[in-house]
Amino acid sequence: MTNDSSIAKIAAILRKEAETRKPGDRLTSSREIMRRHGVSPITVSRALGQLTAEGRVITRPGSGAYVAHPPAHMMDTADLSWQTVALGDRVVDDSAVAALLTPPPDGVIPLTGGYLNPAISPHKQLAAAASRAVRRPDAWTMPPLNGLAELRRWFAAEAGGDVTAADALVVSGGQAALTHAFRALAAPGTPVLVETPTYPGALAAAKAAGLRATAVPTDSDGVRPDLLAEAFAVTGARVFYCQPTLSNPTGATLTHERRQQVLQVVRAAGAFLIEDDFARYLTADPPTPMVAMDPHGTVVHINSLTKVLAPSLRLAAVIARGPAAHRLRAAQLVESFFVARPLQETALEFTGSPAWRRHLTTLHAEITTRRDALATALAARLPEAEVELIPRGGLHLWVRLPPYVNEHALVEAAQRHGVLVSPGRMYYPSEPPGPRIRVTHIAVTHLPELAEGVRRLAQALANTS
């Protein structure tokens, strides 16, 4: 993670520079600031973001940062400190999510991120599907509040079992689904159980909902049912968040037997299991979803199309039954009404076309090639580090570093060497067991770039050891 004091230091330097220049003047380039002060691209980006929020600077992508023209009615920065008292102490921490979504600067290799490189994403086919979708006579009319019936039927069929279209609710992407689920299923101030390590976006959404995330340890087969039962008994929690297939960041997948054990534990606790099935389409052989094994309404299932297709296709489904389903639909309605119909129609067009299966076949082969290339490069260049698991799909490898390595220092050094990796610390709701990093293979354009990124990472490790 980026050090707050470094951000403040760079912000102060740029603030002083802006004060000495005229409106419209260009500030020192980000690359030069990184070179002079030995800071990362993310540090510079966040410092500029701070000055942009203050109204001192405007940024132009691909061009740089410029001194802003002050508003005519306010030449000095207004004192907004009164808001601190009015807002209270409930802070929404977006740092982990922002770090994962921030595009890399020019020349920096992204071994982090959660979306397909544009060269792999089926942009042309999506554009064709969108073109067909918006030509439908009712494309711009209001859709059913819980989503188009055809799309809900499609998500229900993907879930399997006795799930029906009536159980599905279309929402604006997996992250929105998590937000709705946490707020609907648990009261502020109560605990929620999570795998450890786990997806930082889930931790951020739970915290924003006022929940206390409690860690449940995992092994190479996913969450441990014995420790899950103990955690329910100790905390009294009524919600467990789980990624049973290709868990982010470890890549672990629950076996069929363990899925049954986990379901039994959650049901015995009288709790809900939020099944985040984000990686369903990132493997050629996805297991049966836990919702298809659950006749009791224990599982609230989330399936998203965003990761497998494109970041801007913000579309997912939440599958639930009983009062929980009613509460989820009410939450969706009061927060955002419904998902835009053209987006739903586009998803229907694409998943109903031959392009959908062709894309999955191509993607699965690409994932296997990249995963193996990344694992081979790490073994050759970083023999002292250990890939804990070679997953059967997914986008990442979870790497255990030698205990003497300072994880934060390595991530910062890697950024200075021109490669971005994700620090392991942000995947833990409590103290991590040791230094780790998550390394992603899907964000680079091609395999040589992947190999070069690992070479730079090895250089950074050598300089911090």
Side-chain angles (χ1 to χ4, degrees):
M1 299 293 288
T2 306
N3 191 297
D4 287 345
S5 62
S6 299
I7 297 171
K9 175 184 173 183
I10 299 303
I13 292 170
L14 291 172
R15 192 179 290 111
K16 186 173 182 180
E17 181 182 350
E19 289 171 353
T20 62
R21 299 196 177 191
K22 303 188 301 295
D25 284 353
R26 189 174 185 272
L27 296 180
T28 303
S29 71
S30 296
R31 192 183 298 273
E32 179 62 18
I33 294 167
M34 290 161 53
R35 188 192 66 78
R36 284 184 194 173
H37 303 285
V39 294
S40 71
I42 293 177
T43 297
V44 178
S45 175
R46 292 189 183 169
L48 286 170
Q50 214 170 296
L51 296 188
T52 301
E54 294 173 6
R56 297 176 183 272
V57 165
I58 57 171
T59 57
R60 297 170 186 163
S63 178
Y66 297 81
V67 180
H69 292 265
H73 66 280
M74 188 177 69
M75 298 301 292
D76 297 320
T77 303
D79 180 7
L80 305 178
S81 59
W82 66 270
Q83 293 186 1
T84 303
V85 177
L87 289 169
D89 60 358
R90 187 171 163 188
V91 177
V92 177
D93 183 5
D94 67 343
S95 56
V97 177
L100 293 172
L101 295 178
T102 301
D106 291 342
V108 176
I109 295 175
L111 297 186
T112 187
Y115 297 113
L116 307 183
N117 183 279
I120 304 171
S121 183
H123 286 172
K124 290 183 180 178
Q125 295 87 345
L126 281 172
S131 178
R132 295 193 300 271
V134 297
R135 288 199 299 269
R136 293 182 177 184
D138 53 356
W140 295 99
T141 63
M142 189 173 76
L145 298 181
N146 56 347
L148 296 178
E150 299 94 324
L151 188 57
R152 289 186 284 112
R153 276 196 292 272
W154 185 86
F155 276 115
E158 293 294 296
D162 59 356
V163 174
T164 69
D167 302 323
L169 170 69
V170 178
V171 299
S172 298
Q175 191 67 26
L178 286 178
T179 299
H180 291 319
F182 283 133
R183 289 180 178 171
L185 302 177
T190 60
V192 57
L193 304 184
V194 300
E195 300 162 303
T196 185
T198 193
Y199 169 50
L203 296 177
K207 185 176 181 181
L211 307 179
R212 305 192 312 272
T214 300
V216 183
T218 59
D219 58 23
S220 59
D221 291 322
V223 68
R224 288 181 49 183
D226 56 333
L227 297 180
L228 178 62
E230 183 178 343
F232 272 122
V234 169
T235 65
R238 289 294 178 266
V239 176
F240 169 50
Y241 168 74
C242 179
Q243 292 183 324
T245 300
L246 297 170
S247 178
N248 178 12
T250 66
T253 295
L254 288 174
T255 62
H256 184 79
E257 180 184 8
R258 191 171 285 197
R259 287 173 187 240
Q260 291 178 319
Q261 293 171 346
V262 168
L263 275 173
Q264 289 169 1
V265 169
V266 178
R267 189 181 173 210
F272 290 102
L273 189 157
I274 300 175
E275 179 186 22
D276 185 357
D277 208 12
F278 80 100
R280 165 136 301 270
Y281 306 114
L282 302 178
T283 176
D285 185 26
T288 301
M290 298 177 79
V291 70
M293 304 161 61
D294 165 45
H296 305 290
T298 299
V299 176
V300 173
H301 175 83
I302 298 171
N303 182 7
S304 172
L305 288 172
T306 305
K307 284 200 180 298
V308 71
L309 293 179
S312 288
L313 191 74
R314 310 286 326 153
L315 200 98
V318 182
I319 291 171
R321 297 168 180 172
H326 174 78
R327 187 172 291 189
L328 281 159
R329 291 187 182 101
Q332 153 98 345
L333 183 61
V334 300
E335 289 185 20
S336 56
F337 291 175
F338 51 81
V339 176
R341 184 162 191 151
L343 201 60
Q344 296 189 56
E345 298 280 9
T346 297
L348 261 179
E349 282 282 350
F350 187 83
T351 55
S353 73
W356 167 241
R357 290 297 166 191
R358 284 200 301 267
H359 169 62
L360 291 184
T361 300
T362 301
L363 178 61
H364 296 155
E366 186 71 21
I367 284 174
T368 300
T369 300
R370 286 166 172 256
R371 178 204 62 197
D372 293 348
L374 179 57
T376 300
L378 288 169
R381 294 279 189 178
L382 285 82
E384 61 270 58
E386 177 191 358
V387 176
E388 295 197 351
L389 172 71
I390 302 296
R392 58 189 187 190
L395 310 179
H396 323 289
L397 294 180
W398 185 235
V399 181
R400 182 194 312 219
L401 302 170
Y404 58 81
V405 173
N406 182 312
E407 176 189 301
H408 174 77
L410 172 61
V411 172
E412 286 286 325
Q415 292 169 347
R416 291 194 296 272
H417 280 78
V419 60
L420 299 181
V421 296
S422 299
R425 177 66 186 87
M426 69 193 214
Y427 297 89
Y428 290 93
S430 56
E431 295 82 4
R436 284 164 174 75
I437 54 174
R438 193 197 72 173
V439 187
T440 302
H441 58 68
I442 209 69
V444 299
T445 305
H446 43 62
L447 294 182
E449 189 180 13
L450 193 62
E452 173 61 17
V454 174
R455 186 193 70 79
R456 296 181 187 184
L457 178 60
Q459 277 188 329
L461 180 58
N463 291 344
T464 56
S465 301

